[in-house]
């Protein structure tokens, strides 16, 4: 679809604002897979001035789910009288030895659901089975699973449980800022994560570390405006949290969703694939909901976990240290049809977006 | 996978309802957004309403996702989240939610 003329003029005006404000090498990171896709789709990298790099961070919960969680889900699905339910995104993500899709083909009981509510319903329909839901997600997804756990508890469904593999975004952004390897001048903050958490959690990034943060929408003009707001802050020596996407994301987020998440889940350390353990960036059931923690409910023996396949650079890609097409496997051994690393497996992974859109 | 999709709430029955997503109707849970009314435009994710939207914003966003889906159809490297959502509605597909 060709952009409307007035959109093109607005885009040109925003690009001019960006060009005026960028006077030194600058790296802006997006931490949302949908931004990664949108930047590629609209060819926005080609509109950025010399010296301004848009890098992709760990923006997709699928990409950062470690092998151990995939291995555990597979092992649970191989137990008798257990059904493992998952969002379809997880099916092809490699574990140490296999994927949920391959395990299903080999006879393991894995079912793809659209909503955690569907998994709860399955548990109600099959009371003689234990139904495990693979709880992956950032703050957008987590409250849907927490709300389902509340429903299970109030309906007395005791054969429903969750394999917790949740991740939180702002704390991971802080870890990236603190990483000596990574240099990030500003964050394009995720639109739909912020629709839940609101803008406040980004405040320490701006106040403590001087990194401006702009919550940004998904249209080309949104992203250009978000980038313009970031580089103008940098040019003025400011570091604030701004919300470019107010029309869909209220500053306060969704307090009800946050309250439900906090009621059911508590912080824990979490392993990010390719990155390592980041303290305090995971969530697990509170003691009152421990009976719904699939790890305690269904003990399984796991193979020693692998992390990334040999030669795969997804870790460096997710830390913004390397562009996807700088990985030696990119487009050769690793393509969407035959993916080696998680960033190529996930349709919103940085490598898949680069492959699809050519890194423009 | 944090993509949320705009839709219009068509009917409500307690905290569950039906929602129209650009022509595809599916079940939606309002536990995270109890203020939803019939006729509300919402942002939905994994079967839950997560935020209210105004109608103009909702329609613009649906157009944007359609544009991505059209590109995807011409460059068949796999479904977009919205296509995946529609595919799993039809009972097929292993590509899950508009997550």
């Amino acid at each position: 679809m060709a952009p409307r003329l007035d959109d093109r003029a607005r885009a040109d005006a925003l690009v001019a604002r960006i060009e005026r404000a960028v006077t030194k090498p600058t790296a802006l990171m997006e931490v949302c897979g949908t931004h990664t896709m949108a930047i590629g789709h609209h060819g926005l990298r080609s509109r950025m001035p010399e010296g301004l790099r848009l890098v992709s961070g760990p923006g997709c919960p699928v990409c950062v789910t470690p092998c151990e969680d995939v291995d555990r889900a597979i092992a649970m699905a191989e137990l008798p009288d257990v059904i493992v339910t998952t969002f379809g995104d997880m099916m092809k993500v490699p574990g140490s030895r296999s994927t949920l899709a391959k395990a299903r083909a080999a006879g393991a009981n894995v079912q793809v659901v659209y909503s955690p509510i569907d998994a709860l319903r399955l548990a109600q329909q099959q009371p003689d089975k234990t139904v495990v839901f693979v709880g992956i997600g950032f703050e957008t997804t987590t409250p849907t699973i927490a709300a389902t756990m509340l429903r299970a508890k109030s309906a007395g469904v005791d054969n429903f449980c969750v394999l917790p593999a949740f991740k939180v975004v702002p704390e991971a952004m802080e870890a990236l800022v603190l990483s000596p390897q990574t240099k990030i001048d500003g964050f394009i903050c995720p639109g739909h994560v912020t629709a839940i958490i609101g803008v406040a959690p980004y405040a320490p990034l701006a106040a403590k570390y001087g990194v401006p943060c702009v919550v940004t929408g998904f249209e080309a003009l949104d992203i250009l405006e978000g980038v313009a707001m970031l580089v103008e802050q940098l040019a003025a020596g400011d570091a604030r949290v701004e919300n470019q996407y107010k029309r869909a994301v209220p500053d306060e987020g969704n307090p009800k969703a946050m309250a439900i998440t906090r009621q059911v889940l508590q912080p824990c350390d979490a392993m990010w694939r390719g990155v390592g353990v980041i303290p305090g960036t995971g969530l697990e059931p509170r003691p009152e909901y421990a009976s719904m923690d699939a790890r305690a409910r269904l003990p399984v023996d796991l193979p020693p976990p692998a992390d990334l396949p040999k030669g795969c650079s997804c870790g460096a890609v997710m830390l913004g240290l390397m562009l996807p097409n700088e990985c030696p496997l990119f487009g050769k051994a690793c393509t969407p049809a035959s993916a080696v690393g998680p960033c190529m497996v996930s349709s919103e992974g940085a490598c898949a977006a680069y492959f699809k859109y050519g890194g423009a | 996978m944090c993509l949320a999709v705009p839709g219009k709430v068509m009917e409500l029955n307690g905290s569950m309802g039906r929602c129209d997503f650009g022509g595809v109707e599916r079940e939606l849970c309002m536990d995270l957004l109890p203020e939803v009314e019939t006729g509300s435009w919402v942002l939905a994710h994994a079967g839950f309403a997560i935020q209210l939207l105004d109608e103009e914003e909702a329609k613009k966003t649906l157009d944007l996702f359609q544009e991505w889906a059209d590109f995807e159809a011409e460059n068949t490297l796999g479904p977009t989240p919205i296509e995946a959502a529609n595919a799993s509605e039809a009972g097929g597909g292993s590509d899950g939610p508009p997550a």
Side-chain angles (χ1 to χ4, degrees):
Chain A
M1 188 189 295
R4 293 191 302 274
L5 208 57
D6 56 338
D7 282 359
R8 190 166 296 173
R10 287 173 62 199
D12 290 345
L14 288 165
V15 169
R17 268 174 65 186
I18 295 167
E19 285 169 348
R20 270 197 302 277
V22 175
T23 54
K24 54 176 193 242
T26 303
L28 304 181
M29 178 178 270
E30 94 271 353
V31 285
C32 165
T34 310
H35 280 143
T36 306
M37 294 293 289
I39 288 167
H41 180 81
H42 298 298
L44 297 181
R45 278 194 187 83
S46 65
R47 307 281 328 251
M48 294 299 120
E50 189 77 25
L52 177 57
R53 292 203 322 144
L54 300 182
V55 297
S56 302
C60 163
V62 177
C63 300
V64 299
T65 298
C67 275
E68 188 185 337
D69 288 333
V70 177
D71 295 343
R72 196 179 292 276
I74 291 170
M76 287 175 178
E78 289 167 346
L79 295 172
D81 298 320
V82 172
I83 305 172
V84 168
T85 57
T86 176
F87 293 133
D89 309 56
M90 281 306 292
M91 290 297 284
K92 291 181 191 160
V93 177
S96 300
R97 290 187 202 152
S98 184
T99 65
L100 282 164
K102 285 182 192 157
R104 180 172 66 179
N109 203 340
V110 181
Q111 294 192 23
V112 171
V113 293
Y114 168 75
S115 168
I117 291 270
D118 298 335
L120 175 58
R121 197 167 285 142
L122 186 67
Q124 287 169 306
Q125 288 160 353
Q126 304 211 35
D128 54 333
K129 307 273 191 201
T130 301
V131 174
V132 179
F133 183 77
V134 180
I136 62 156
F138 289 158
E139 290 92 333
T140 320
T141 312
T142 303
T144 70
I145 300 165
T148 304
M149 292 168 74
L150 281 181
R151 280 183 168 253
K153 187 161 196 179
S154 72
V157 182
D158 58 12
N159 62 324
F160 173 79
C161 56
V162 170
L163 174 57
F166 308 104
K167 303 274 190 293
V168 295
V169 172
E171 288 80 358
M173 290 162 73
E174 182 173 3
L176 284 170
V177 168
L178 290 172
S179 157
Q181 301 163 287
T182 310
K183 186 186 168 296
I184 302 159
D185 299 296
F187 279 114
I188 300 170
C189 295
H192 291 148
V193 164
T194 315
I196 299 290
I197 66 175
V199 301
Y202 305 114
L205 293 167
K208 261 167 81 177
Y209 307 110
V211 181
C213 295
V214 176
V215 178
T216 303
F218 299 104
E219 294 177 55
L221 291 173
D222 288 327
I223 295 171
L224 289 173
E225 188 174 26
V227 169
M229 290 162 78
L230 283 168
V231 293
E232 284 170 354
Q233 280 199 44
L234 289 167
D238 280 348
R240 286 177 286 118
V241 182
E242 292 184 281
N243 184 358
Q244 182 276 336
Y245 198 31
K246 273 188 197 297
R247 58 184 203 277
V249 175
D251 283 353
E252 68 277 18
N254 181 335
K256 171 86 180 173
M258 290 298 283
I260 286 176
T261 298
R262 276 194 293 264
Q263 183 181 346
V264 179
L265 303 171
Q266 64 187 13
C268 62
D269 296 347
M271 173 79 179
W272 296 61
R273 187 188 297 230
V275 177
V277 173
I278 310 181
T281 57
L283 293 165
E284 63 184 7
R286 288 191 181 280
E288 311 90 277
Y289 296 87
S291 64
M292 265 186 254
D293 188 331
R295 296 171 303 182
R297 188 87 172 251
L298 300 167
V300 286
D301 291 325
L302 297 180
D307 190 16
L308 291 173
K310 203 169 171 353
C312 172
S313 311
C314 281
V317 168
M318 286 190 282
L319 289 169
L321 302 174
M322 188 190 261
L323 293 174
N325 56 4
E326 292 166 357
C327 172
L329 303 185
F330 180 85
K332 301 185 183 88
C334 187
T335 66
S338 174
V340 174
C343 298
M344 189 67 90
V345 174
S346 164
S347 63
E348 292 198 328
C351 298
Y354 254 71
F355 188 88
K356 192 175 299 183
Y357 300 114
Chain B
M1 83 165 242
C2 301
L3 185 65
V5 181
K8 185 179 185 180
V9 177
M10 306 305 286
E11 67 178 63
L12 268 181
N13 185 5
S15 56
M16 297 302 290
R18 302 282 306 170
C19 188
D20 179 272
F21 298 100
V24 179
E25 205 173 293
R26 64 189 326 156
E27 186 180 49
L28 194 68
C29 176
M30 316 300 164
D31 285 359
L32 305 176
L33 203 68
E35 59 269 41
V36 167
E37 296 169 1
T38 304
S40 294
W41 284 86
V42 296
L43 206 47
H45 176 77
F48 284 75
I50 61 167
Q51 201 49 266
L52 289 169
L53 282 183
D54 69 46
E55 182 171 351
E56 187 194 356
E57 175 59 24
K59 287 180 172 165
K60 261 175 73 176
T61 307
L62 278 172
D63 285 348
L64 176 74
F65 293 163
Q66 188 59 49
E67 181 193 322
W68 294 2
D70 291 346
F71 177 90
E72 198 75 35
E74 292 161 18
N75 299 270
T76 49
L77 290 169
T80 59
I82 212 166
E83 288 173 324
N86 292 346
S88 61
E89 169 74 6
S94 59
D95 283 276

